Amino acid sequence: MLTTTRFSRAQSFLSAVWESGVRLAGGAARRWRRCHAAFVIALLLPGMAPAASADASMPHLAPRHGAIQLIVDGQPFLMRAGELENSSASSLPYLDTLWSKFEAMHFNAVIAPVYWNLIEPQQGRFDFSTVDGLIKGARAHDMRLVLLWFGSWKNSMSSYLPAWVKRDASRYPRARRSDGTPMEILSALDAANVQADSAAFVALMKHLKQTDGEQHTVVMVQVENEVGMIPEARDHGPLADAAFHAPVPQALTDYLSEHRERLAPQLAAAWRAHGFRTGAKWEDTFGAGEQTDELFTAWTEARYTGQVAAAGKAVYPLPMYANAALIRPGKRPGEYPSGGPLPHLFDVWRAAAPAIDFLAPDIYFPNFTEWAEKYALPGRPFLIPETGRVSGAQMAANGLYAYAHLNAMGYSPYAPEFLSPDYAKALGQAYDLIDQLTPLILAHQGSGKMVGMLPRTHFDGSVDLSPQTFVFGDYKVTASFRKPGSASIGAKLDADTSTTHGGLIIQTGPDDFWFAGTGITVYFEPVGKGRSAVGIESIWEGRFINGQWVPGREMNGDDTNQGRHLSLPDDEFSIRRVTLYRYH
Ligand code: DGJ
């Protein structure tokens, strides 16, 4: 039985797809229409929708058809990145050993940490040698950088503080557990903490402006890393307790009132249960318990992060984002880094940190699609700054889906320097393919004429191999993740295979398509009634070399099961140029 794939909501209103573009069957079409409505709403949302950059020569975020793209030196830039393992950027000789690996994997960008403790070893005395070396290395290998500000938070801890901050807890107070024990986490409530962090971040941004303001090797900055609170859902230090027992700040309730119809369900329900109160204490506004403790943490830590970002942007306004550690099923606030930029807290983050342009997921769980869809929202920028813990080939296939289906501006497996040769090869093949297709992908993001094909994987690792169907004008296109039984021996059942599946489709003319990916068999049918049928005019393998398509073999005969289907072979990432026709 055919199933209709869930379609990205982040598609274009402006492309007027009803007339000409991809349409989906059944319920997906209704979702699609709702999505367009949601997109219009999103454009009107304040905060975190990308603002037009004051200086268009700066790297900035801009809408194209409704997808949000990163613009670098006037051109959209699709990031094929990897995020350095945490310690790799602390030694330039070590870093120098990595660039050739990244080149072999077809990276055009690296996401790399800047460590507060290394750049400000003494208060007010800065040493940017690691940053300068990083930029020099990236330039020498023709790569751009996204910098990670490892300031007050790194995976919800404060382990990258300079020693002069670490050792002076009376001046730079820590968050406390409910029994009063201090934790190695700066309190988000203390002005000295946010001032010290902001001062260092401002110095970094000033330095970038001075040394990279023309060349724009650094194109974006992540502010802090996986902000959140664990093992309790909130800070119980004296400042935090006082703020928790004071009224909820008006800036938050004003934002929530303004967006009341569109709040995250959990937050809306908690607030509704208390009559949408304003001017009251946290527990009297949202109820007593860990959920409200987490809202408080989200507000205080997002405010802090937003203040740091705003201070940095005031001197050098690169696009800035915050990343989230995701939640395992069944975990409660306090059992995961609570208060981070998670879907149920998006409203609080948007209210608290308008200088943060967008929120991004670190996807390490197998249910990649489910988490990605929560962040790839209409009119919002989408980047996956970290991903991993799946096979290299699956990680690569997930990337194709992110760029094509979810309009990602970038994709970035974590610790690529430690990928096994097999995994590195798969990622390199997929990035090579993305490199070749980049002009087509950028031109079609949000156009409604590009989709991704990816079986949904659940949290327990089980994979839904149901076929996925898309409609492009006159053609219904079905992606099957099973192998067809051979017609020549009369086999009737499609076979499951243990290979990786994933890819993309771009329609460039009424009958003209590009397919790319791995482990997929594609069938074509006519749309509409009548006795017409669809035939394959031609399928070519090939490569784009310097932007020109250079065909290889024409794929036919056994390679198309005598004209019955298109095959994207297992165990490699390949491109196919396909022309279809209708006949009666
Ligand atoms: C998420 C963090 O953001 C990274 O810095 C790194 O610690 C990875 N987890 C490790 O899995």
Side-chain angles (χ1 to χ4, degrees), residues 188-519:
L189 279 299
D190 195 278
N193 293 345
V194 70
Q195 278 161 15
D197 186 329
S198 301
F201 189 62
V202 164
L204 170 65
M205 297 309 290
K206 263 190 196 153
H207 185 74
L208 293 180
K209 183 179 180 179
Q210 278 160 11
T211 55
D212 192 46
E214 295 291 314
Q215 220 162 320
H216 305 139
T217 300
V218 180
V219 294
M220 189 150 56
V221 175
Q222 176 188 293
V223 188
E224 313 294 348
N225 189 82
E226 293 194 348
V227 170
M229 176 73 67
I230 191 170
E232 296 198 21
R234 76 168 177 90
D235 178 3
H236 291 268
L239 283 178
D241 275 350
F244 188 68
H245 296 298
V248 175
Q250 191 185 339
L252 176 56
T253 49
D254 281 355
Y255 182 95
L256 298 183
S257 301
E258 209 179 307
H259 299 85
R260 194 195 281 187
E261 305 310 319
R262 302 185 291 277
L263 297 178
Q266 186 182 316
L267 172 58
W271 196 25
R272 186 179 305 110
H274 293 80
F276 298 113
R277 281 187 79 174
T278 60
K281 293 195 318 185
W282 287 82
E283 292 187 325
D284 297 336
T285 307
F286 304 111
E290 63 206 13
Q291 191 180 314
T292 298
D293 287 357
E294 186 184 30
L295 287 175
F296 175 78
T297 300
W299 172 256
T300 51
E301 295 192 348
R303 283 287 277 195
Y304 188 122
T305 307
Q307 269 175 263
V308 174
K313 270 191 170 175
V315 295
Y316 190 48
L318 287 176
M320 295 190 187
Y321 70 95
N323 65 329
L326 306 181
I327 312 175
R328 281 174 191 281
K331 294 291 179 193
R332 305 166 67 97
E335 296 175 341
Y336 58 85
S338 308
L342 287 158
H344 65 288
L345 302 169
F346 281 172
D347 303 304
V348 181
W349 271 79
R350 287 177 186 143
I356 296 287
D357 296 294
F358 65 97
L359 308 172
D362 294 345
I363 310 183
Y364 290 95
F365 298 141
N367 49 338
F368 175 86
T369 333
E370 189 183 332
W371 277 109
E373 283 171 348
K374 291 180 201 285
Y375 284 80
L377 298 173
R380 303 276 181 198
F382 181 53
L383 165 74
I384 301 178
E386 292 183 44
T387 187
R389 300 202 192 110
V390 290
S391 85
Q394 191 57 58
M395 199 161 66
N398 291 350
L400 302 193
Y401 183 83
Y403 293 115
H405 208 83
L406 303 174
N407 299 324
M409 72 176 89
Y411 187 74
S412 171
Y414 176 68
E417 58 271 56
F418 297 130
L419 288 178
S420 70
D422 279 2
Y423 284 18
K425 186 174 161 210
L427 183 62
Q429 275 193 3
Y431 271 3
D432 177 21
L433 185 152
I434 291 296
D435 187 9
Q436 296 175 56
L437 292 171
T438 285
L440 279 173
I441 293 173
L442 286 170
H444 287 85
Q445 279 191 327
S447 72
K449 292 182 178 168
M450 177 168 66
V451 299
M453 304 171 277
L454 189 72
R456 292 178 85 81
T457 301
H458 304 291
F459 184 80
D460 66 6
S462 59
V463 184
D464 177 2
L465 290 177
S466 308
Q468 297 178 355
T469 297
F470 311 90
V471 175
F472 292 88
D474 286 347
Y475 298 107
K476 188 159 109 181
V477 177
T478 298
S480 169
F481 307 114
R482 294 189 163 93
K483 286 273 160 265
S486 165
S488 57
I489 57 166
K492 294 222 166 40
L493 290 180
D494 291 351
D496 283 5
T497 56
S498 58
T499 189
T500 299
H501 313 276
L504 58 86
I505 311 173
I506 306 172
Q507 184 186 28
T508 49
D511 301 329
D512 301 320
F513 297 87
W514 298 91
F515 285 77
T518 185

Side-chain angles (χ1 to χ4, degrees), residues 11-13 17-18 31-40:
Q11 297 285 337
S12 163
F13 173 73
V17 284
W18 280 134
R31 279 200 295 280
W32 171 249
R33 266 177 245 134
R34 279 204 303 272
C35 289
H36 282 114
F39 173 70
V40 177

